[in-house]
Amino acid sequence: MTSRIPRDSRLRLVRPRPLAAAPTAVNQRRPRRPAPRPPEGTPAPAELARMARSGLAPAARVAHWADAALRLGRDGANPDGKGTLSGETAERAAADLGLTAAQVRADWDTARLAGLVEVHGGTARPGWRLRAWDRDDSAVLRGWVALFDAWSLARPEPAGHEAAAVAEVVSAMPQVLSFLQLSAGPVPVEQLLDLLEQRVTELRTERCEIPYGPQPVPVAAPSPPAPPEPTDAPLSPLLDWALRALASVGALTYGDGQATLTPLGNWAVWVKLEQICVAAQSPAGNIEQAAEDMLRGCAQLRPNAARAEYRAWLAARPVGSAVTELLGAARGEDALLRGLAFEALRVVGAPAEPDVRSVADEPTLRPYALLWLAEHDGIDPEDAHEVLTREEATWLWVDTAAAVADHGEAPMLVRHLESAVQPTVPMLLDEVRAVGHPRTVQVLVALAAAHPDPALAKAVRRAAFQVHTGGS
């Protein structure tokens, strides 16, 4: 049985051409959660923005220099075709700004992580945050939070450690940061190391990591168990790296055997904890679910509520693994989840760009990825569909129709005809037959059953039969 309450989340799969207006009536019976207040002693947003501007001033200076000297994004000039500064450009900037080339490179990398400079493909251009840097405190704070989220890229990890161990530490650091935030003061590194070891052990246990192969069988009375080997050796250098990286982005101070969150770091961790708490108290409460289950849980929510769930789900896990999970869900058979996954990736924003760009050649994901990249490049969502070829737009139409057929109601599928790029139904049917979508037959059968016009329904059924039998 389907609900009679009108919902619009399923109709937002093809963003450029919404097929139905959002319902104006909103269920007001659920009490609103009062806006949480930051911990006592947290500076006002204007003061936090001033701190962020101060910390990011060198990066903003290099970004402004590149914008003026290289004309980023205006005449096709770019640093080296990869978004990194060439040796010649770094030396030129160093001479102009009175810095060393190494300082310029470090500040450029920080500018990229903070979104002051955006790299699209091989071309760098000024980020919107750079344009709003002196007048918009929220843009500055978002830029600093983007840098905070990317702390693991701020400094190279120590050599000699397996990638899996580094990933475990990155996954465990949110709990370490939460402990620092709750402690509201300096915490000894030994205590943080103990917490890190516990969290890494939990992560390994969740993956059921047990020794493989035959185990020795005791032939005599067992001797007293040997004390467990300390794990300080493998994790201590990685904790040191993580704390130094977080200190380099301004999230904490680190020295004399202890670490303390800065006001900015304390505020950022509190914001992320609040996002998680909001999701835990929401009707869906999907923060502990895998991406696919989370998206299914958000399918019945209105767009704003769904975006709040996405933000909370993302806040509870590293960005890289979250993006990988979302793209994995998008590759599944459920077209509704495919569209919702890219809605969640819109919430991720710039950190997801390399992964989205890497899947743009996969036929199943290509139209969604191209639309995402177009919007990320600044194209108005209403015009983003123009980046698609006619064939790609038709494939997306069928995929979206499959989502509506699986999860929507008959009138929604009939209205979906209005979003097709073809001016007539016969042209649409011809191109739908040629596009080769695996759900074409099911979509056409559902459309024929739903459409009130007998002549049009007959033509659609005929097209479905022709696709099924391989005829023309």
Side-chain angles (χ1 to χ4, degrees):
M1 181 179 295
T2 58
S3 172
R4 294 185 180 182
I5 300 175
R7 302 181 186 275
D8 63 351
S9 61
R10 296 189 180 110
L11 297 181
R12 297 291 180 176
L13 294 172
V14 182
R15 290 169 57 87
R17 298 184 175 208
L19 302 178
T24 55
V26 178
N27 186 354
Q28 299 292 340
R29 289 177 295 177
R30 186 188 310 138
R32 290 183 177 270
R33 183 175 184 260
R37 293 185 177 183
E40 185 177 354
T42 302
E47 177 63 14
L48 290 170
R50 186 196 65 77
M51 296 176 184
R53 281 191 181 93
S54 176
L56 290 172
R61 185 183 180 198
V62 169
H64 279 300
W65 175 89
D67 185 25
L70 304 181
R71 296 184 56 80
L72 295 179
R74 290 194 289 270
D75 57 7
N78 61 80
D80 68 349
K82 299 179 182 178
T84 57
L85 288 180
S86 64
E88 179 182 353
T89 303
E91 293 292 345
R92 178 183 168 192
D96 289 350
L97 299 175
L99 303 171
T100 66
Q103 288 174 317
V104 169
R105 289 184 183 280
D107 293 340
W108 174 263
D109 290 340
T110 300
R112 291 177 60 188
L113 294 176
L116 300 176
V117 174
E118 297 176 355
V119 178
H120 303 271
T123 302
R125 73 178 192 188
W128 68 270
R129 289 173 185 142
L130 184 66
R131 298 290 186 233
W133 194 248
D134 295 324
R135 55 180 171 79
D136 189 338
D137 288 347
S138 66
V140 175
L141 290 174
R142 288 184 184 184
W144 188 86
V145 170
L147 177 65
F148 170 71
D149 287 338
W151 67 264
S152 60
L153 303 178
R155 293 174 70 97
E157 63 268 19
H161 291 272
E162 295 183 357
V166 175
E168 287 172 343
V169 169
V170 173
S171 297
M173 282 307 293
Q175 186 165 334
V176 174
L177 290 168
S178 299
F179 181 75
L180 278 167
Q181 197 271 337
L182 293 172
S183 299
V187 178
V189 173
E190 292 81 2
Q191 195 171 357
L192 297 178
L193 181 59
D194 183 62
L195 178 62
L196 179 66
E197 290 169 351
Q198 293 180 36
R199 181 56 184 151
V200 168
T201 299
E202 291 173 359
L203 292 172
R204 292 172 179 171
T205 302
E206 290 170 3
R207 293 199 304 269
C208 299
E209 288 190 358
I210 57 175
Y212 290 94
Q215 302 299 309
V217 179
V219 295
S223 58
E229 295 183 3
T231 56
D232 293 350
L235 288 185
S236 181
L238 290 175
L239 176 61
D240 179 74
W241 159 71
L243 293 176
R244 290 186 185 279
L246 286 160
S248 71
V249 303
L252 52 80
T253 58
Y254 175 42
D256 297 327
Q258 59 186 19
T260 309
L261 286 178
T262 64
L264 272 173
N266 186 71
W267 167 78
V269 175
W270 171 79
V271 167
K272 292 184 179 296
L273 288 174
E274 277 300 311
Q275 289 175 341
I276 294 172
C277 291
V278 168
Q281 296 178 19
S282 71
N286 295 291
I287 59 171
E288 295 183 359
Q289 302 295 326
E292 183 172 335
D293 293 330
M294 180 274 293
L295 294 172
R296 290 190 190 281
C298 293
Q300 295 294 332
L301 300 178
R302 297 178 183 277
N304 286 340
R307 281 190 288 271
E309 289 284 331
Y310 302 151
R311 282 192 292 269
W313 186 85
L314 291 164
R317 48 192 42 79
V319 174
S321 61
V323 171
T324 300
E325 272 199 66
L326 290 171
L327 289 175
R331 292 187 178 95
E333 296 181 358
D334 194 329
L336 176 63
L337 298 191
R338 192 156 27 253
L340 294 176
F342 277 86
E343 287 296 324
L345 288 168
R346 287 180 173 89
V347 175
V348 177
E353 184 197 359
D355 295 278
V356 174
R357 197 173 294 281
S358 70
V359 303
D361 291 331
E362 298 183 26
T364 303
L365 304 183
R366 180 173 176 77
Y368 295 95
L370 292 179
L371 289 176
W372 190 99
L373 291 168
E375 294 177 29
H376 181 64
D377 286 345
I379 297 177
D380 191 292
E382 295 296 323
D383 301 324
H385 67 280
E386 296 177 1
V387 305
L388 301 180
T389 65
R390 180 83 161 228
E391 182 179 1
E392 291 163 351
T394 303
W395 195 99
L396 182 61
W397 184 90
V398 178
D399 203 53
T400 308
V404 176
D406 290 343
H407 302 278
E409 299 177 352
M412 297 167 65
L413 189 58
V414 174
R415 290 197 300 272
H416 186 57
L417 279 172
E418 301 171 8
S419 70
V421 297
Q422 292 79 7
T424 66
V425 171
M427 291 180 65
L428 170 64
L429 296 178
D430 287 342
E431 296 186 28
V432 163
R433 286 199 300 263
V435 79
H437 193 288
R439 296 291 305 279
T440 298
V441 172
Q442 293 94 323
V443 165
L444 293 179
V445 169
L447 181 59
H451 208 284
D453 186 336
L456 189 146
K458 181 178 180 181
V460 174
R461 277 194 300 272
R462 184 185 304 113
F465 181 77
Q466 290 171 344
V467 174
H468 178 65
T469 59
S472 59

